[in-house]
């Protein structure tokens, strides 16, 4: 029996934000952004809420029917030449910090906030979430620099599975549902893997390391990964 997946909406905000908050609270990237545990507990949920809102605005959120797993995707258009790098036109959000598609969280490393031409997405995100915390903004800027802009693509920003439901294939089901559509429609996909386990998993799903890692200063390393749509080979007669 397959995993039942549906498109989430505003009514699912509380459920998804709680799931992301729990899954990423001890994630290496979140721990770098909010190094103090007490402060992280206070502001981490606000960051997850901002990511959810941005995903609804710039892309979509898929959730399993039972609410045990969710994935945030961004539909990123090809960059307009007149828009300066770092403006946040359809950028990021990331992949997991400590697990894989079937682990607690996937944070494709970026945290930039998309906005219209001229808007500074990472700065706007920092102002909305934690104005005194420069790492919120820095993470977005570094991720923006690593993010490909030459072709439109689907960007896996975050994926989280409830701890007691890991290992059931929920994360893989959420990812492959979108990748199957990418293959049918000829769409590219992108993410940032944050550990060797998730990198290997995504390689099996057709992603390839772009060649340049994303290193947060004195923090964890992430691996930007790109996926070309797979073309089905018709059976030989």
């Amino acid at each position: 029996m397959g995993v039942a997946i549906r498109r989430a909406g505003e009514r699912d905000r509380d459920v998804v934000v709680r799931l992301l908050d729990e899954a990423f609270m001890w994630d290496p990237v979140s721990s770098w952004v909010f190094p103090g545990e007490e402060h992280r507990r206070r502001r981490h949920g606000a960051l997850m809420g901002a990511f959810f809102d941005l995903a609804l605005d710039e892309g979509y959120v898929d959730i399993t029917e039972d609410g045990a797993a969710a994935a945030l995707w961004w539909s990123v258009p090809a960059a307009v030449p007149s828009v300066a790098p770092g403006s946040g036109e359809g950028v990021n959000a990331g992949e997991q910090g400590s697990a894989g598609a079937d682990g607690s969280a996937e944070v494709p490393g970026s945290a930039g906030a998309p906005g219209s031409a001229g808007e500074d997405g990472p700065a706007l995100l920092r102002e909305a979430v934690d104005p005194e915390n420069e790492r919120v903004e820095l993470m977005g800027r570094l991720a923006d620099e690593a993010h490909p802009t030459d072709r439109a693509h689907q960007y896996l920003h975050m994926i989280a599975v409830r701890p007691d439901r890991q290992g059931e294939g929920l994360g893989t089901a959420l990812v492959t549902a979108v990748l199957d559509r990418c293959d049918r429609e000829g769409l590219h996909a992108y993410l940032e893997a944050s550990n060797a386990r998730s990198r290997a998993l995504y390689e099996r799903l057709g992603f390839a390391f772009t060649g340049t890692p994303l290193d947060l200063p004195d923090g964890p390393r992430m691996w930007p990964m790109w996926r070309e749509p797979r073309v089905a080979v018709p059976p030989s007669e």
Side-chain angles (χ1 to χ4, degrees):
M1 184 176 179
V3 176
I5 299 170
R6 63 177 175 83
R7 189 59 46 87
E10 184 60 36
R11 71 186 184 280
D12 301 295
R13 188 181 193 278
D14 289 347
V15 171
V16 175
V17 172
R18 280 198 302 270
L19 174 63
L20 295 172
D21 191 27
E22 178 184 9
F24 288 102
M25 180 62 69
W26 304 105
D27 168 82
V29 176
S30 291
S31 296
W32 179 84
V33 174
F34 305 103
E37 179 182 340
E38 182 178 349
H39 185 68
R40 189 185 323 135
R41 289 185 181 279
R42 290 198 309 267
R43 302 309 307 160
H44 187 261
L47 181 61
M48 299 301 103
F51 284 158
F52 177 86
D53 295 338
L54 288 166
L56 287 190
D57 186 50
E58 300 291 334
Y60 48 95
V61 177
D62 286 341
I63 186 172
T64 57
E65 281 289 359
D66 59 7
L72 278 57
W73 291 86
W74 305 48
S75 298
V76 182
V80 178
S82 60
V83 177
S87 63
E89 71 282 54
V91 189
N92 346 36
E95 179 185 345
Q96 107 197 308
S98 57
D102 287 318
S104 63
E106 268 296 336
V107 186
S110 115
S116 60
E119 290 184 351
D120 188 333
L124 290 175
L125 184 66
R126 173 182 176 179
E127 182 63 28
V129 172
D130 197 4
E132 301 302 316
N133 188 349
E134 64 180 10
R135 289 189 174 187
V136 174
E137 182 176 342
L138 178 59
M139 179 172 62
R141 295 197 183 285
L142 293 174
D144 284 359
E145 292 174 2
H147 202 122
T149 60
D150 59 325
R151 287 168 288 179
H153 56 276
Q154 301 299 294
Y155 176 41
L156 177 58
H157 175 192
M158 308 179 82
I159 180 169
V161 179
R162 210 170 66 197
D164 63 331
R165 298 293 303 280
Q166 293 172 22
E168 298 181 19
L170 302 181
T172 299
L174 283 168
V175 176
T176 55
V178 174
L179 296 184
D180 287 346
R181 177 168 65 87
C182 288
D183 291 341
R184 292 194 303 270
E185 300 179 9
L187 301 173
H188 306 283
Y190 173 76
L191 54 79
E192 295 111 358
S194 59
N195 61 44
R197 177 174 177 264
S198 62
R199 177 179 172 179
L201 183 149
Y202 289 123
E203 286 175 343
R204 293 196 296 272
L205 294 177
F207 286 89
F209 174 43
T210 61
T212 303
L214 193 167
D215 291 314
L216 296 175
D218 298 317
R221 164 171 288 189
M222 291 171 282
W223 290 268
M225 304 187 75
W226 182 264
R227 184 183 187 273
E228 297 286 334
R230 289 176 170 174
V231 179
V233 179
S236 57
E237 297 182 357

